[in-house]
Amino acid sequence: MVIIRANTETGGLAVRCNEKDRRLLLLFKQGVIDPANRLFSWTSEEEDCCSWIGVQCDNITGRVTELDLAGQLLQGDINLCLVLQLEFLNYLDLHHNEFVTVSIPPCQPSRSSSDDQSANLSAALRYLDFSSNYDLPINDLRWLSGLSSLNYLDLNDCDIENETKWLEFVSMLPSLSELHLRSCGLRDFPRISYVNFTSLSTLDLSFNLLNSELPYSLFNLTNDISVLDLSHNGFYGKVPMALFKLPKLKQLSLSFNSIKGSIPDSIGQHEQLQHLFLRENSFNGSIPPSLGGKSLQSLKGVLSEKNFANLSNLTSLYLSSSGFKFHIDPNWVPPFQLEYFELRNTSLGPTIPAWLYTQRSLRWLDISGSGISTIDDTDMFWSFVARIDNVNLSYNLMSGDISPLTLNSTSINLEYNSFTGGLPHISSNVVNFWASHNSFSGSIFPLLCHSKIISREKYSLATLDLSYNHLGGTLPNCWAKYWEQLIYLDLGSNKLTGEVPPSIASLNFLAYLDLSSNNFLGKFSLDLSNWKNLQYLLLEGNKFSGILPTLPQNLVVIKLRANQFTGNIPTHLCNLSSLAILDLADNTLSGSIPSCLNNIMHPINASLWLKVIKLSAKGRELDYKDVELLRLIDLSANNFSGEIPKELFSLIQMWSLNLSRNHLRGKIPREIGGMKNLESFDLSCNKLSGEIPPAISNLSFLDYLNLSYNNFVGQIPLGTQIQSFDSWSFVGNLGLCGDPLPKRCNKKEETNNSNQAEVNEDDFFFKSLYLGMGVGFAAGFWGVCGSLFLIRAWRHKFFRWFNRLMDRLYVAGVLCFKSLC
């Protein structure tokens, strides 16, 4: 039924949605979890479903034709049994959500035949996208056969590992032109005798587990294929000759496999081939002269202008980490205009090749780590760079003063060079600026707050990394006005001083803040509780004082060591459930260690910044990158007192625990044995006493142990793990004895300790044995006696036997007595 209503704005008639379609959408919503309330307009009170978010209808019939709920953070169930009953639905897009289940047709209770699979499905559907619902399980694809008009299918990142007949079912779609099955857990390419797609032009099977030789049948699927992506699989062997029978092939990606052999010369004879990705394989030999490619890697040989003479249509060139040597005429003018040029980790240098300046269409330039040390014409080079959106010049040997320059590129990376002088200016177009590990000096005020540079009210800058330079002075107080969009700010390892300006607290989007290894001072009194996105807070190596600041909830890494913070550990720190690294060492904090710290270090559910950070563990400072795998607490070199809370040892994922150089008393809790992942454990220079618990021998991964300079007594627990440490791990404990210390224990101590170790070691076994014996005795006793009491025939037989036995014993006794008399 179609409802027509008057449209007062236009004076005409407007069509409201079909009642059946409206009912189906409301039923579909019942299975959806909507934590962000994105479907607030989907209510029974609003009769016109054509006005609902994500719904589009035909202007004449009022039937629902499109359902687009992409990126709405929806969870729960995709009920295909309902959605596909929208008879005129031709577009369904549910990608980039968090759905966890799919209700798969048939929609009727009956499932007697395969024909029922397609019952009541929308024959009009042309576009279907479930991608980026990560690991969404779809174990049956037979329902696809009913979608006869489907020409676009995207199941990227869904889990269809258990559907072994996926190729058979998708081949039943006569109109299918694009099929995207990236990262779907596919294993082994199906072995079927014949499959022929009549319209397929794009096939993406990348990031799967198709561990086999490249199957010849793969290249016989269709003659219309133009884009074929087989990268990031386990394909091996040689490139099959069947590949060259695809006349319309424009783009082929075989990257990140194990394909070997030489590149056939005939691959360059494809008239339509425009883009070829072969990186990270085991190809050898030289480049075929006929090849017009996009990405060539893992090859060796000499490249000259002859290799590019016929590539007039070349737009992208990737030769990173290759073994090529360049012998190119300095006066060569290429026949192409590149948009993307990447030569990372090559021997391009020591100078910028002159032919590169002829590329006026470049949008991406990456010549990092390519040995560039000399720029012949600096004005020409930087004018050339200014026209490129993304520029990466890092890990070279470039030098000089570039402070007069104004950089315009959207993203520019100058890291790990030898630039000197003041910082260059950056325009309002810059989104990402990396300039760490150089020799820039002076103030950062001109870069951030110079009135001649700032051309609009707010910058779009998201990333600013100026770490490991020689920048000095104080931080300007212009953050609130211009830089509120910052996500990543790293000013660590410079010579900055003074107090942190209050306007930094306005950086509400910040996820990474590093002010470490400077000369900042004063109270760090900023309220950071509104920084909902902050994951890294690195303030170590300064002179901050006062109590610890109020911290946001999503922190993963806190490094405040080597400052002058005072007071107790605030209890709100125990609410940081995602915290993986807590480093408060080398301050003057006092009081007891809160027992509620066992509430931290839950599994991390955050998008961590993949950056190397320094951590003090195992008695030295090392660089670590995989922070999501580490759990560390370092409270060393403070004034903490009291006992070590036993709750702390319930953090079984702990990797490193350092409580050294404090005033802690009491014993090591026996719960220490449960920290199976502990690799570094330091309690040195405290006032701990008692015996070292034998359970410490259970820490099989322990690589560093320091219990020195306490008041421990008794024999060091026996066990190969403990005896493997040097004696310095236990020195300064006058009451300790036994290996690895030179002091021998007397027999009493050895016996007591040995007995205690044996008792602890065998305690569980004997308890179990005695318990089993007791239960067995009770079961046997009541099994026999219960039978006698409950079964009359058994009871009569038992007493008759017992009476006869007593009579015989009486007669034998009388006879024995008479014989003695």
Side-chain angles (χ1 to χ4, degrees), residues 43 178 260:
T43 64
E178 290 195 34
K260 62 183 180 179

Side-chain angles (χ1 to χ4, degrees), residues 452-694:
K452 294 183 180 180
I453 302 302
I454 294 174
S455 59
R456 63 182 183 187
E457 184 149 346
K458 288 187 180 179
Y459 269 38
S460 57
L461 191 69
T463 302
L464 178 61
D465 188 348
L466 302 176
S467 60
Y468 292 93
N469 281 285
H470 305 301
L471 300 172
T474 59
L475 283 182
N477 196 27
C478 58
W479 301 93
K481 186 175 181 181
Y482 302 113
W483 308 104
E484 291 181 356
Q485 304 301 316
L486 264 178
I487 297 175
Y488 184 104
L489 177 61
D490 190 348
L491 302 177
S493 299
N494 279 285
K495 299 178 180 180
L496 299 169
T497 187
E499 296 187 359
V500 175
S503 61
I504 275 194
S506 64
L507 304 180
N508 294 332
F509 294 99
L510 210 59
Y512 186 104
L513 176 62
D514 187 349
L515 302 179
S516 62
S517 301
N518 281 282
N519 296 312
F520 291 115
L521 47 81
K523 295 183 178 180
F524 192 88
S525 57
L526 302 181
D527 185 358
L528 307 181
S529 58
N530 291 327
W531 290 14
K532 305 299 183 183
N533 300 313
L534 191 67
Q535 296 179 30
Y536 279 69
L537 179 61
L538 311 178
L539 303 179
E540 64 177 316
N542 285 286
K543 299 177 183 178
F544 290 120
S545 59
I547 62 174
L548 295 177
T550 303
L551 301 172
Q553 292 291 316
N554 294 320
L555 275 170
V556 176
V557 175
I558 298 176
K559 291 191 67 182
L560 307 182
R561 69 182 296 128
N563 279 285
Q564 299 171 10
F565 287 112
T566 59
N568 299 338
I569 295 179
T571 55
H572 77 261
L573 194 143
C574 298
N575 298 325
L576 308 182
S577 59
S578 298
L579 197 60
I581 294 175
L582 174 62
D583 188 350
L584 304 178
D586 293 301
N587 282 282
T588 53
L589 298 170
S590 58
S592 59
I593 299 174
S595 60
C596 62
L597 281 180
N598 65 332
N599 294 325
I600 65 175
M601 296 190 176
H602 289 194
I604 298 173
N605 184 19
S607 55
L608 292 171
W609 292 91
L610 298 178
K611 177 165 180 171
V612 173
I613 64 172
K614 292 185 179 298
L615 295 177
S616 295
K618 301 185 180 182
R620 56 193 184 277
E621 189 175 65
L622 297 173
D623 291 336
Y624 294 91
K625 184 172 183 178
D626 297 326
V627 177
E628 66 272 20
L629 304 177
L630 304 179
R631 301 292 187 275
L632 175 147
I633 292 181
D634 191 344
L635 306 179
S636 62
N638 279 284
N639 295 321
F640 292 115
S641 58
E643 296 186 354
I644 303 174
K646 64 180 181 180
E647 292 84 0
L648 198 62
F649 295 96
S650 65
L651 297 172
I652 59 175
Q653 298 300 323
M654 184 82 74
W655 169 74
S656 176
L657 177 61
N658 190 348
L659 305 178
S660 64
R661 292 175 290 163
N662 281 287
H663 307 292
L664 299 173
R665 297 180 178 274
K667 298 180 179 181
I668 300 177
R670 67 180 63 182
E671 288 80 3
I672 179 66
M675 303 180 77
K676 302 295 186 181
N677 295 291
L678 197 64
E679 295 185 24
S680 180
F681 187 40
D682 192 345
L683 297 179
S684 61
C685 299
N686 277 286
K687 300 177 182 179
L688 298 168
S689 58
E691 295 184 344
I692 300 173

Side-chain angles (χ1 to χ4, degrees), residues 67-68 70 84 89-96 122-132 143-144 147-157 170 173-182 197 199-204 227:
L67 183 58
D68 185 354
L84 296 183
L89 186 70
N90 61 63
Y91 185 98
L92 177 58
D93 189 352
L94 300 178
H95 88 274
H96 211 287
S122 173
L125 194 65
R126 298 178 181 276
Y127 185 103
L128 178 59
D129 189 348
F130 289 167
S131 64
S132 298
W143 52 275
L144 286 173
L147 307 178
S148 56
S149 300
L150 195 66
N151 55 43
Y152 181 97
L153 176 61
D154 191 341
L155 301 180
N156 287 347
D157 302 307
V170 296
L173 303 173
S175 302
L176 191 65
S177 62
E178 290 195 34
L179 177 60
H180 299 270
L181 298 177
R182 183 191 68 236
F197 290 92
S199 304
L200 192 66
S201 62
T202 298
L203 176 60
D204 183 357
V227 177

Side-chain angles (χ1 to χ4, degrees), residues 287-291 302-311 327-329 332 335:
I287 301 176
S290 62
L291 187 61
V302 177
L303 278 179
S304 68
E305 61 271 16
K306 295 179 181 179
N307 296 99
F308 304 99
N310 299 321
L311 305 181
H327 288 174
I328 296 179
D329 190 325
W332 176 58

Side-chain angles (χ1 to χ4, degrees), residues 328-494:
I328 296 179
D329 190 325
N331 298 318
W332 176 58
V333 178
F336 50 74
Q337 281 293 318
L338 296 175
E339 295 183 14
Y340 299 89
F341 181 50
E342 183 178 300
L343 253 71
R344 291 182 293 106
N345 303 323
T346 62
S347 57
L348 180 65
T351 61
I352 302 292
W355 68 264
L356 188 58
Y357 293 118
T358 67
Q359 304 302 298
R360 297 179 297 276
S361 301
L362 272 180
R363 298 165 53 195
W364 178 286
L365 174 65
D366 187 347
I367 52 175
S368 58
S370 57
I372 303 295
S373 60
T374 304
I375 302 174
D376 293 333
D377 190 331
T378 55
D379 291 337
M380 177 187 292
F381 175 73
W382 291 109
S383 298
F384 168 72
V385 166
R387 301 194 302 264
I388 305 172
D389 288 340
N390 296 277
V391 178
N392 190 345
L393 308 176
S394 62
Y395 291 92
N396 280 291
L397 303 171
M398 298 182 181
S399 60
D401 183 0
I402 59 174
S403 59
L405 298 176
T406 299
L407 304 179
N408 297 309
S409 303
T410 303
S411 293
I412 185 164
N413 192 338
L414 305 178
E415 294 180 303
Y416 291 93
N417 278 284
S418 301
F419 292 116
T420 57
L423 289 168
H425 303 302
I426 55 176
S427 74
S428 57
N429 297 322
V430 179
V431 176
N432 302 300
F433 181 50
W434 298 273
S436 69
H437 294 86
N438 280 280
S439 298
F440 290 115
S441 59
S443 172
I444 67 172
F445 181 87
L447 181 139
L448 295 177
C449 308
H450 201 289
S451 59
K452 294 183 180 180
I453 302 302
I454 294 174
S455 59
R456 63 182 183 187
E457 184 149 346
K458 288 187 180 179
Y459 269 38
S460 57
L461 191 69
T463 302
L464 178 61
D465 188 348
L466 302 176
S467 60
Y468 292 93
N469 281 285
H470 305 301
L471 300 172
T474 59
L475 283 182
N477 196 27
C478 58
W479 301 93
K481 186 175 181 181
Y482 302 113
W483 308 104
E484 291 181 356
Q485 304 301 316
L486 264 178
I487 297 175
Y488 184 104
L489 177 61
D490 190 348
L491 302 177
S493 299
N494 279 285

